[in-house]
């Protein structure tokens, strides 16, 4: 009986059928990037706002004030009397009644400073529904809750990596992909109309869970339906992620409120449900579940669409003799090579995410236009994928993977000790570091899928990439806490982490031109 890779070569390793499926699934990279970075625009600063004195709304209605007049009459005199007073987070410690004068509602407080107190929930915004900040009063003492929304999303990614990664290996790639798309869409709509912050946070967490399911599963499907020489197309999915980063500011620019933005980035996920009729189950996965007939039927469809002819004597494909079992966490550590691969890949994911997000937050983009700055920050990442595409199939996976980490580490170290009077040089070297870690971040996706057997691939990728989410949660705390000690100290930490990662990667086996492993035994034979 022929092996799967032999049948795939005859059916076409990257023909018209695979190109169509590849293009369709690449759109998931765009929508996932929307979810990943949306907090930047959902949580924009609300512009001008102030704390309203109890009874001011009724008095304003009686006196016929505009919001600007109310603000000037109630806040400006206090601001002039006490310049240190925060009009956003504090208010006059009094309650107005209907007897207050429209001409001079504050009355007279003598020569001393008027009494004031902390504001507790009665803020007035010039743009009340522009962002979740004004929608849920995430200002002053509640400002930390905006950071919580991104932490909650990352926790969702983490939970999705474990639960849906396991489910995809047990119940099938395309089933979990479609259910995840449905979940992202439904949760996204609920988030847009959440009546309070608690509901918003719960369903943003769930959107993260399902979002991770769409991203990881689509990546595995693409990798499993092409030949070994075409697996670098997984890198192109990263380009679509970058395109999503570049498109997002355009969406936010044209839609004036956060609910519209949230709907615009969530509703496209419902269109992916149409893939039920366009994207088949992974035939590699079917073989691992002893479903050879279904796998062969899909391979005949692939051959037909590719204009190939699958020989009639292919009546059966080799099915693994390895006992099929549900994926287990301990399967990733039971044998020496699997254990080594898992530990190194987990560290690589963690390091890539931590350094990538740390450098983005530290470097930033020069200028004050949020939309333009965000667009440029995405464009900087495009050369990374192009460099990978022109090198990875010529010199292999391991050299650029290791070198990119080491270059990122050295760039961070140099940036830390460059003088402040050479800002252009610091920015250039820091950008080189970001380019290096972006390359490492993109290669780790490809290498991760190639170092696990089909029976554990989705679960292995999901588990290892969960360290990416942990790195994303830690990055801002590490950056800002260490920067209070010494501004450049985070760069020193990033440098050490990246160089160590580059050295450890040299212990991984090279997978260029090698068929995807089907069993744990195949992984153990990789050198």
């Amino acid at each position: 009986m022929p092996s799967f890779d032999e049948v795939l070569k005859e059916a076409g390793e990257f023909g018209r059928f695979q190109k169509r499926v590849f293009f369709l699934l690449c759109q998931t990279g765009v929508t996932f990037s929307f979810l990943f970075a949306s907090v930047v625009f959902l949580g924009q600063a609300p512009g001008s706002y102030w704390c309203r004195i109890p009874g001011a709304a009724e008095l304003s209605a009686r006196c016929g004030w505009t919001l600007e007049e109310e603000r000037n009459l109630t806040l400006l005199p206090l601001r002039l009397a006490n310049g240190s007073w925060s009009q956003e987070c504090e208010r006059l410690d009094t309650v107005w009644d209907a007897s207050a004068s429209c001409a001079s509602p504050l009355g007279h407080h003598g020569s001393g400073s008027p009494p004031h107190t902390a504001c507790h929930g009665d803020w007035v915004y010039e743009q009340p529904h522009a962002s979740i900040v004004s929608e849920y009063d995430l200002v002053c003492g509640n400002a930390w809750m905006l950071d919580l929304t991104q932490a909650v999303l990352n926790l969702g990614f983490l939970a999705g990596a474990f639960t849906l990664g396991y489910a995809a290996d047990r119940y099938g790639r395309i089933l979990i992909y479609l259910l995840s798309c449905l979940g992202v869409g439904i949760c996204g709509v609920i988030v847009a109309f959440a009546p309070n912050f608690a509901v918003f946070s719960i369903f943003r967490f769930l959107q993260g869970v399902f979002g991770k399911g769409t991203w990881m599963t689509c990546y595995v499907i693409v990798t499993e339906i092409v030949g070994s020489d075409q697996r670098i197309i997984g890198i192109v999915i990263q380009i679509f992620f970058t395109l999503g980063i570049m498109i997002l500011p355009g969406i936010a620019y044209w839609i004036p409120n956060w609910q519209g933005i949230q709907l615009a980035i969530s509703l496209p996920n419902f269109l992916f449900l149409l893939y039920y009729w366009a994207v088949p189950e992974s035939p590699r996965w079917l073989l691992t579940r002893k479903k050879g007939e279904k796998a062969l039927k899909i391979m005949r469809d692939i051959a037909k669409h590719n204009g190939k002819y699958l020989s009639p004597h292919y009546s059966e494909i080799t099915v693994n003799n390895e006992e099929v079992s549900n994926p287990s966490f301990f399967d990733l550590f039971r044998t020496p090579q699997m254990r080594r691969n898992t530990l190194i890949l987990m560290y690589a994911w963690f390091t890539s995410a931590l350094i990538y997000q740390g450098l983005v937050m530290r470097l930033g983009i020069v200028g004050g236009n949020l939309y333009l700055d965000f667009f440029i920050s995405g464009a900087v990442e495009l050369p990374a994928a192009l460099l990978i595409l022109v090198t990875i199939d010529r010199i292999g996976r391991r050299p650029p993977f290791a070198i990119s980490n080491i270059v990122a580490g050295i760039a961070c170290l140099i940036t830390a000790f460059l003088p402040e009077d050479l800002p252009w040089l610091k920015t250039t070297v820091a950008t080189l570091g970001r380019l290096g870690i972006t390359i490492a971040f993109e290669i780790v996706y490809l290498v991760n899928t190639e170092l696990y057997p089909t029976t554990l691939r989705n679960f292995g990728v999901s588990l290892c990439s969960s360290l990416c989410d942990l790195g994303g949660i830690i990055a801002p705390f590490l950056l800002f806490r260490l920067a209070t000690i010494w501004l450049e100290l985070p760069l020193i930490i990033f440098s050490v982490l990246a160089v160590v990662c580059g050295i450890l990667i040299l212990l991984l086996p090279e997978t260029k031109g090698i068929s995807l492993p089907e069993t744990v035994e195949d992984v153990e034979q990789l050198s």
Side-chain angles (χ1 to χ4, degrees):
M1 291 185 293
S3 67
F4 176 81
D5 288 297
E6 291 172 339
V7 176
L8 183 60
K9 283 184 179 180
E10 187 159 335
E13 293 185 297
F14 193 54
R16 186 165 48 194
F17 180 88
Q18 286 100 330
K19 290 176 182 176
R20 186 192 69 188
V21 170
F22 168 69
F23 177 77
L24 292 175
L25 291 176
C26 274
Q27 310 312 310
T28 308
V30 176
T31 55
F32 182 73
S33 71
F34 290 166
L35 176 62
F36 184 84
S38 60
V39 70
V40 175
F41 299 100
L42 297 180
Q44 285 189 73
S48 179
Y49 64 94
W50 71 93
C51 187
R52 175 175 268 164
I53 298 172
E58 294 77 6
L59 184 61
S60 179
R62 177 169 67 83
C63 297
W65 295 335
T66 63
L67 281 179
E68 186 64 26
E69 288 172 333
E70 178 189 338
R71 178 178 180 178
N72 289 336
L73 287 168
T74 61
L75 300 179
L76 188 57
L78 296 178
R79 187 72 172 177
L80 293 175
N82 187 350
S84 64
W85 183 54
S86 172
Q87 65 181 29
E88 292 88 3
C89 301
E90 295 181 327
R91 65 169 176 80
L92 184 68
D93 190 12
T94 187
V95 177
W96 284 346
D97 55 33
S99 63
S101 168
C102 292
S104 182
L106 292 179
H108 299 283
H109 293 277
S111 58
S113 299
H116 53 272
T117 186
C119 188
H120 296 289
D122 197 11
W123 284 281
V124 181
Y125 303 90
E126 287 186 348
Q127 301 173 331
H129 302 292
S131 76
I132 60 175
V133 174
S134 55
E135 187 75 32
Y136 302 118
D137 289 335
L138 309 184
V139 294
C140 299
N142 296 333
W144 63 273
M145 298 170 72
L146 179 60
D147 301 330
L148 180 64
T149 63
Q150 190 66 6
V152 162
L153 181 68
N154 276 281
L155 287 174
F157 291 157
L158 189 62
F162 283 97
T163 57
L164 297 181
Y166 173 86
D169 277 335
R170 181 169 184 178
Y171 302 109
R173 308 331 193 190
I174 194 62
L175 173 64
I176 299 304
Y177 174 80
L178 294 173
L179 289 177
S180 296
C181 290
L182 180 63
V184 172
I186 292 175
C187 292
V189 172
I190 296 175
V191 165
F193 297 102
N196 53 58
F197 184 74
V199 174
F200 176 92
S201 299
I202 290 170
F203 283 93
R204 185 162 171 80
F205 167 82
L206 292 175
Q207 200 175 14
V209 172
F210 291 117
K212 191 57 173 280
T214 65
W215 177 241
M216 297 309 303
T217 309
C218 85
Y219 197 96
V220 170
I221 292 174
V222 167
T223 305
E224 290 185 339
I225 64 171
V226 300
S228 60
D229 292 336
Q230 284 76 34
R231 289 201 299 269
I232 61 169
I233 64 171
I235 299 299
V236 181
I237 297 182
Q238 310 296 326
I239 297 179
F240 278 78
F241 181 93
T242 299
L243 290 177
I245 293 291
M246 298 169 66
I247 293 170
L248 181 58
I251 295 174
Y253 181 81
W254 290 106
I255 300 178
N257 60 77
W258 76 271
Q259 290 175 316
I261 297 172
Q262 175 66 22
L263 290 174
I265 65 177
S266 300
L267 293 178
N269 287 279
F270 290 115
L271 296 177
F272 297 151
L273 298 178
L274 298 175
Y275 290 1
Y276 176 82
W277 292 278
V279 179
E281 181 55 87
S282 167
R284 285 185 188 272
W285 177 83
L286 289 171
L287 285 176
T288 66
R289 310 307 289 188
K290 308 295 186 182
K291 299 179 180 179
E293 291 185 3
K294 290 185 178 180
L296 186 59
K297 181 177 183 299
I298 291 173
M299 293 308 297
R300 293 192 184 281
D301 289 338
I302 292 175
K304 180 180 178 182
H305 283 88
N306 289 345
K308 302 279 187 175
Y309 177 72
L310 205 59
S311 176
H313 75 268
Y314 286 159
S315 58
E316 197 172 354
I317 305 177
T318 300
V319 179
N320 283 322
N321 292 324
E322 186 180 81
E323 185 66 26
V324 178
S325 60
N326 295 321
S328 165
F329 174 81
F330 297 103
D331 291 336
L332 304 179
F333 297 90
R334 190 165 283 126
T335 57
Q337 188 67 51
M338 286 284 290
R339 182 164 55 248
R340 178 189 297 175
N341 293 349
T342 299
L343 292 174
I344 294 176
L345 288 170
M346 290 173 75
Y347 180 77
W349 276 104
F350 174 80
T351 302
S352 296
L354 180 66
I355 299 175
Y356 175 82
Q357 294 197 32
L359 289 179
V360 168
M361 288 185 291
R362 185 187 184 283
L363 179 61
I365 301 295
V366 179
N369 188 315
L370 174 63
Y371 306 98
L372 181 60
D373 290 351
F374 202 84
F375 173 83
I376 294 174
S377 72
V380 167
E381 297 181 11
L382 284 177
L386 298 178
L387 285 172
I388 294 171
L389 291 175
V390 299
T391 60
I392 201 171
D393 220 23
R394 291 178 171 83
I395 64 176
R397 278 65 160 149
R398 192 169 53 183
F401 193 11
I403 291 171
S404 59
N405 275 282
I406 294 173
V407 167
I410 294 174
C412 287
L413 187 63
I414 294 174
T415 303
F417 292 101
L418 284 174
E420 294 295 333
D421 57 355
L422 294 174
W424 63 271
L425 184 57
K426 286 180 74 77
T427 300
T428 301
V429 177
T431 302
L432 178 63
R434 181 177 173 185
L435 183 64
I437 204 63
T438 299
I439 292 174
F441 213 165
E442 295 183 358
I443 293 179
V444 71
Y445 278 94
L446 175 64
V447 172
N448 207 157
T449 59
E450 294 181 332
L451 288 178
Y452 282 111
T454 303
T455 51
L456 295 169
R457 185 167 297 119
N458 211 97
F459 183 59
V461 172
S462 299
L463 177 67
C464 291
S465 67
S466 67
L467 272 292
C468 162
D469 307 318
L470 181 61
I473 293 172
I474 293 176
F477 300 99
L478 179 67
L479 177 72
F480 296 122
R481 294 291 181 182
L482 294 182
T484 60
I485 301 172
W486 177 38
L487 183 61
E488 310 297 355
L489 184 55
L491 290 180
I492 306 298
I493 304 299
F494 295 160
S495 175
V496 173
L497 291 173
V499 172
V500 170
C501 185
I503 295 173
L504 290 175
I505 286 166
L506 296 176
L507 301 177
L508 293 175
E510 177 59 66
T511 56
K512 173 180 175 289
I514 298 176
S515 299
L516 285 176
E518 301 292 344
T519 67
V520 172
E521 184 180 343
D522 292 339
V523 175
E524 292 302 307
Q525 292 175 352
L526 293 175
S527 60

